[in-house]
Amino acid sequence: GWWTDRKWRNIFFHDANMGFTWETDDLVDYDMRAVRPWFTAIYFPRKVAEKPATMYIATMHDGDGNLMEAGKTYSLTVPKKVPVKQFWSLTIYDRDTYSFIYSPQERPGLSSRDTDKMTKNADGGVTLYFGPKAPQGLEANWIPTSGKAPYAMFRFYGPEESFYNKTFKLADVELV
């Protein structure tokens, strides 16, 4: 994981050389070489920078280590100060297809650009919810999952040093 005590994973999932060949002195890991681009459907650079300009972390699990399930509601508490120069975002994907979850609300995710419309916590942070139904009065903090099993991805656009040195820690997703 990105943090040893959290369920979030670095989605770059690069090899030991910060690249994507999965070649070592005694092995070419063809499975990882083939599966990784298919799983993400993105073309990665030849190597990952030591401190990429954008970082994505993702999880399929709640803080207790349970696989998130369709039909359940989850939350993520995001502090007021996330170490980003630009913005942060949370997108919820359909775990079966790794695509956006389409809904009448047309809201596959929320970001720091939306916080002015959200209900804030006492400390200025926000708690985001995702599931089949918005919690009462928290519709602006909610991402609909339309009966799909969620896969959560949190993006840091312009991450600052406290993200890279891991002194900042994002909370785990919690079952509501």
Side-chain angles (χ1 to χ4, degrees):
W2 183 254
W3 299 282
T4 57
D5 61 342
R6 301 287 194 277
K7 303 301 178 221
W8 295 100
R9 303 285 178 255
N10 175 354
I11 71 127
F12 283 131
F13 200 68
H14 50 74
D15 62 24
N17 300 313
M18 301 295 283
F20 303 96
T21 64
W22 288 279
E23 294 177 16
T24 63
D25 291 340
D26 60 349
L27 173 74
V28 175
D29 189 340
Y30 287 107
D31 290 334
M32 283 308 301
R33 186 184 275 184
V35 168
R36 192 64 195 155
W38 172 84
F39 171 76
T40 57
I42 3 183
Y43 294 97
F44 288 118
R46 180 168 289 193
K47 286 191 152 234
V48 175
E50 185 181 330
K51 294 179 181 176
T54 303
M55 276 296 297
Y56 299 4
I57 59 174
T59 188
M60 296 181 187
H61 297 89
D62 66 22
D64 292 328
N66 298 313
L67 198 58
M68 290 187 280
E69 297 177 39
K72 293 188 176 179
T73 300
Y74 297 90
S75 69
L76 174 65
T77 299
V78 181
K80 180 178 181 177
K81 178 63 179 123
V82 174
V84 290
K85 294 176 186 118
Q86 297 167 348
F87 69 100
W88 58 258
S89 73
L90 174 70
T91 306
I92 305 300
Y93 293 91
D94 176 352
R95 197 174 67 232
D96 291 336
T97 63
Y98 296 103
S99 63
F100 285 152
I101 296 175
Y102 295 98
S103 68
Q105 294 81 7
E106 297 182 1
R107 188 186 303 161
L110 289 166
S111 77
S112 54
R113 294 175 173 175
D114 302 308
T115 57
D116 60 331
K117 299 176 209 116
M118 293 183 201
T119 299
K120 308 250 184 349
N121 299 333
D123 64 1
V126 292
T127 300
L128 308 178
Y129 297 88
F130 53 97
K133 208 170 93 174
Q136 184 84 27
L138 295 168
E139 291 80 4
N141 296 48
W142 169 67
I143 303 166
T145 55
S146 301
K148 307 293 183 183
Y151 173 67
M153 188 175 297
F154 198 93
R155 292 176 174 86
F156 296 78
Y157 291 91
E160 295 174 342
E161 186 58 32
S162 63
F163 173 77
Y164 289 114
N165 70 23
K166 302 183 183 182
T167 55
F168 168 84
K169 288 185 181 182
L170 186 64
D172 275 323
V173 168
E174 300 298 330
L175 177 62
V176 175

